[in-house]
Amino acid sequence: MRMTDSSPVDPAAALVIDVWCELQCPDCRTALDDVRALRARYGDRAELRLRHFPLEKHKHAFAAAQAAEEALAQGKGWEYVEAVLGRVEELDRKGEPFLVEVAGELGLDAEEFDTALVDGRHILIVDADQAEGKAIGVTGTPTYVVDGERLDGGKSQDGLRERVEEIADRALA
């Protein structure tokens, strides 16, 4: 299961835009506006998929990735991701209790979140994303992969959305 936008996408016509992200990453928070703009621009012509790439330097990132998968399982994946990214400083300070707190704020089953973080039911998804990211050369977040082209936003986000749109427009033409 991949975290995708909830809008229906025609698999035959869809362009997939993978967004390699980490929920404790300030650069990923900055990239939220780009992600929103891409979703608005392409609607059902493109599928934006959140791919997990927790970085070792952020000690709560792996748990946050698992929490995002639990939010997806409960029907509010992107909403949860945006809520956590919008408050990365709180995640830094509070850790896993903050992840459960945000779930409750969004009306999700916070108790189930807590259980999911303890039992590790989403670890394999996060591990698989991270392994795939490493295999294709992802080194930081955010990184986009559009029509086979990797764009690293972890180094600089200047002009990044424009480059994503240029590739996507060409692929959808």
Side-chain angles (χ1 to χ4, degrees):
M1 179 165 35
R2 293 279 175 250
M3 172 134 354
T4 62
D5 193 341
S6 58
S7 53
V9 176
D10 175 3
L15 170 70
V16 173
I17 301 174
D18 280 332
V19 183
W20 297 86
C21 183
E22 194 238 67
L23 298 189
Q24 201 175 348
C25 171
D27 289 334
C28 290
R29 175 182 48 204
T30 304
L32 268 181
D33 286 339
D34 288 343
V35 169
R36 288 184 193 111
L38 291 168
R39 287 183 9 215
R41 179 178 176 125
Y42 296 109
D44 63 358
R45 296 183 306 145
E47 176 185 4
L48 261 77
R49 296 192 308 186
L50 177 79
R51 304 299 301 274
H52 302 291
F53 201 76
L55 302 169
E56 285 183 23
K57 67 182 179 180
H58 294 136
K59 67 180 180 179
H60 306 299
F62 195 81
Q66 293 176 71
E69 287 296 322
E70 181 58 30
L72 176 64
Q74 292 190 31
K76 292 190 177 181
W78 276 107
E79 192 177 339
Y80 184 82
V81 165
E82 290 191 25
V84 172
L85 276 174
R87 297 158 62 188
V88 291
E89 293 84 3
E90 281 184 79
L91 177 56
D92 286 345
R93 262 192 340 271
K94 298 180 180 175
E96 289 186 28
F98 172 72
L99 298 170
V100 176
E101 178 184 317
V102 171
E105 290 170 5
L106 294 176
L108 298 168
D109 184 339
E111 220 172 279
E112 194 60 30
F113 256 79
D114 201 31
T115 303
L117 290 172
V118 171
D119 71 20
R121 68 183 73 159
H122 302 294
I123 286 176
L124 292 179
I125 293 169
V126 177
D127 281 346
D129 272 6
Q130 194 166 38
E132 184 180 335
K134 286 179 182 174
I136 65 168
V138 174
T139 57
T141 56
T143 294
Y144 299 83
V145 177
V146 187
D147 200 31
E149 288 191 51
R150 189 182 76 241
L151 302 169
D152 184 354
K155 293 184 174 44
S156 170
Q157 293 185 54
D158 291 340
L160 186 62
R161 184 169 82 211
E162 291 78 12
R163 291 196 311 270
V164 170
E165 289 172 349
E166 183 182 307
I167 296 164
D169 289 346
R170 190 172 61 231
L172 290 168

